[in-house]
Amino acid sequence: YVLETHAQDVIQFIQNKISKPVILFGLSLGGMISLMAAARHPDLVSKVIIGDSPLTLETLEPMIAAQQVMGKQLLTLIEAGQ
């Protein structure tokens, strides 16, 4: 999983189970996931509360790079049929 996949899971849950705008609380990486979900679907998120989340450029850039590397590795495995 990459952060974007988690954000999409959150959105799908809201759409399928709640069907109205929600207040999201995200702890640690969940804070980043909550922000991503809210940014992509502001119609489904009325407020975002973030706790203890690593939200600086110094912490975000390496995490994003690591997520991209992991995603590429996973795609390579899928394409190879593993």
Side-chain angles (χ1 to χ4, degrees):
Y1 277 103
V2 294
L3 295 178
E4 189 163 323
T5 303
H6 288 297
Q8 190 57 42
D9 288 344
V10 169
I11 291 302
Q12 287 179 349
F13 180 82
I14 295 167
Q15 289 172 328
N16 296 333
K17 301 295 181 184
I18 302 172
S19 303
K20 64 179 182 176
V22 299
I23 299 171
L24 286 180
F25 174 78
L27 179 65
S28 190
L29 286 178
M32 294 169 28
I33 292 165
S34 295
L35 285 175
M36 291 172 76
R40 285 172 177 72
H41 293 276
D43 56 312
L44 295 176
V45 180
S46 63
K47 294 178 177 67
V48 176
I49 302 168
I50 301 168
D52 198 24
S53 195
L55 293 172
T56 66
L57 284 179
E58 291 80 24
T59 58
L60 283 175
E61 288 173 345
M63 280 190 271
I64 291 168
Q67 292 284 327
Q68 290 172 339
V69 169
M70 188 172 60
K72 288 177 185 176
Q73 290 171 342
L74 180 59
L75 285 175
T76 300
L77 290 172
I78 291 169
E79 290 169 356
Q82 295 182 4

